[in-house]
Amino acid sequence: MLFPATGSSASMATKIPAEKFGKCQCETYHSEGILYQILNKEHGSETKWHQQNCSPRCCARSKGCPCLDRRRVVLRTPEATCRRASEVLLKTSTFIRNLPSFYHMPWEDQFVLIQQNWAPLFVLGMAQEGVDFDLREIPGTSLLKKILLNQFSTAMNELDSSSAGASFTEVQKMKNLLWKFWDLDISGKEYAYVKGIILFNSECHVLKCLPYVQSLQQEAQKALMEFISIMFHGSLSRFASILQLITSLRDIDAEAIEELFFRPFLEEATLNVLLLETISIKPDWL
């Protein structure tokens, strides 16, 4: 069998509502308020557009809401969670090392596949190992205090350049995916096949041996479909749900993973380079 069964299915996790981290600050900007008038005076065109096109609460649900984009979070229990995340990363590299078909490819193709797919593989490993985590929001700069001290420009610059912690929006997206995998109660064999589908990503068109990778991905998809057909009485809906989750996994932001789980250890390095070295793929120019 190309993809061996690994691990056990993850347990159900308690969902943490997004509201736990506080309301969007856009909700506090009312046209009658003094703060709104000050902001409007400094940034007339921007706030005028906001007033004409956004209701007080719509921006909190908007994908491009500046307040949500600026919200940064860190782990509430970093030591324990980072240790588990490191274990997941090690198991991910072990899975790849145990695939002879992966090493049959040129190292250039191995490099591309790791670079493009380590993030979804890592989140998938988090789901399989049942790793949930609590978050703590980093307090933002008090705009009102800065304005009253005539330091509005300084406050805006600090907000725009803030890089501490990970993006709340991206981390919440990752947690939502974990919950969806746990809701489906994915089995060990299903996880193995899904890992194969993700690793052998046929959308990486720069690969030298693209037809070979396409055949491996098709083999993994066929194995997954056959397993589901046998174990779940031909449930096409389950197969479709898993494929949809795979698509969503590819949208996970790799930088958010690095910032949340590995930044204190990586310093200036990147996680995909660390994985390449762990799997013994190290081009001369790295």
Side-chain angles (χ1 to χ4, degrees):
M1 183 175 294
L2 178 59
F3 305 106
T6 56
S8 59
S9 59
S11 59
M12 298 293 289
T14 303
K15 297 187 178 182
I16 304 175
E19 290 79 6
K20 178 180 178 180
F21 300 101
K23 295 182 179 180
C24 171
Q25 295 301 312
C26 291
E27 295 185 23
T28 63
Y29 295 164
H30 302 291
S31 58
E32 297 84 3
I34 297 176
L35 177 58
Y36 180 90
Q37 295 177 19
I38 296 174
L39 293 173
N40 192 53
K41 181 178 180 181
E42 296 289 340
H43 295 273
S45 59
E46 180 181 350
T47 52
K48 183 178 180 181
W49 182 93
H50 185 282
Q51 183 181 8
Q52 291 175 347
N53 294 275
C54 298
S55 64
R57 294 183 180 271
C58 74
C59 60
R61 298 186 297 269
S62 173
K63 183 177 181 180
C65 175
C67 292
L68 289 179
D69 290 342
R70 292 191 182 110
R71 293 171 70 182
R72 316 294 292 185
V73 292
V74 293
L75 296 170
R76 186 173 294 276
T77 56
E79 184 176 350
T81 306
C82 288
R83 182 173 61 250
R84 296 206 65 189
S86 298
E87 292 171 355
V88 169
L89 191 65
L90 181 60
K91 289 184 178 182
T92 300
S93 65
T94 301
F95 172 82
I96 297 174
R97 283 203 308 269
N98 290 337
L99 291 177
S101 52
F102 183 76
Y103 288 98
H104 289 164
M105 294 180 288
W107 67 261
E108 295 93 340
D109 285 2
Q110 297 176 34
F111 173 79
V112 170
L113 290 175
I114 292 295
Q115 186 180 46
Q116 296 294 321
N117 304 304
W118 74 261
L121 283 173
F122 173 79
V123 176
L124 189 64
M126 295 277 283
Q128 184 174 8
E129 297 300 319
V131 180
D132 200 359
F133 49 90
D134 292 324
L135 301 171
R136 175 174 60 85
E137 185 170 0
I138 300 176
T141 304
S142 173
L143 280 177
L144 179 58
K145 181 178 179 180
K146 290 288 186 179
I147 292 169
L148 294 177
L149 294 176
N150 295 321
Q151 297 176 347
F152 179 76
S153 298
T154 303
M156 294 305 295
N157 290 336
E158 287 180 1
L159 280 178
D160 292 338
S161 62
S162 177
S163 59
S167 164
F168 166 79
T169 304
E170 294 299 330
V171 173
Q172 191 62 33
K173 186 192 303 182
M174 179 167 56
K175 289 180 71 68
N176 289 339
L177 271 175
L178 291 176
W179 296 330
K180 289 178 180 179
F181 272 103
W182 293 329
D183 286 342
L184 279 177
D185 194 20
I186 306 294
S187 67
K189 282 192 174 182
E190 287 174 310
Y191 274 117
Y193 297 141
V194 172
K195 288 178 183 178
I197 295 172
I198 292 175
L199 178 62
F200 299 112
N201 184 2
S202 59
E203 296 180 4
C204 299
H205 298 296
V206 298
L207 297 174
K208 292 184 176 181
C209 55
L210 181 58
Y212 177 65
V213 172
Q214 290 174 332
S215 66
L216 291 173
Q217 188 180 62
Q218 291 170 1
E219 181 182 343
Q221 289 178 339
K222 181 180 178 182
L224 175 62
M225 184 170 61
E226 290 178 350
F227 177 81
I228 291 176
S229 178
I230 294 173
M231 300 301 297
F232 298 92
H233 310 290
S235 176
L236 293 179
S237 61
R238 182 177 181 84
F239 180 69
S241 296
I242 293 177
L243 290 184
Q244 181 60 48
L245 288 178
I246 292 175
T247 300
S248 299
L249 276 173
R250 299 197 190 281
D251 292 332
I252 291 294
D253 182 44
E255 290 185 2
I257 295 176
E258 290 186 356
E259 290 295 333
L260 191 65
F261 299 107
F262 300 103
R263 179 51 56 202
F265 314 103
L266 288 175
E267 295 181 351
E268 297 301 322
T270 58
L271 206 55
N272 65 305
V273 171
L274 180 63
L275 264 176
L276 289 169
E277 294 180 350
T278 303
I279 304 172
S280 302
I281 307 171
K282 189 174 182 182
D284 296 335
W285 47 269
L286 280 180

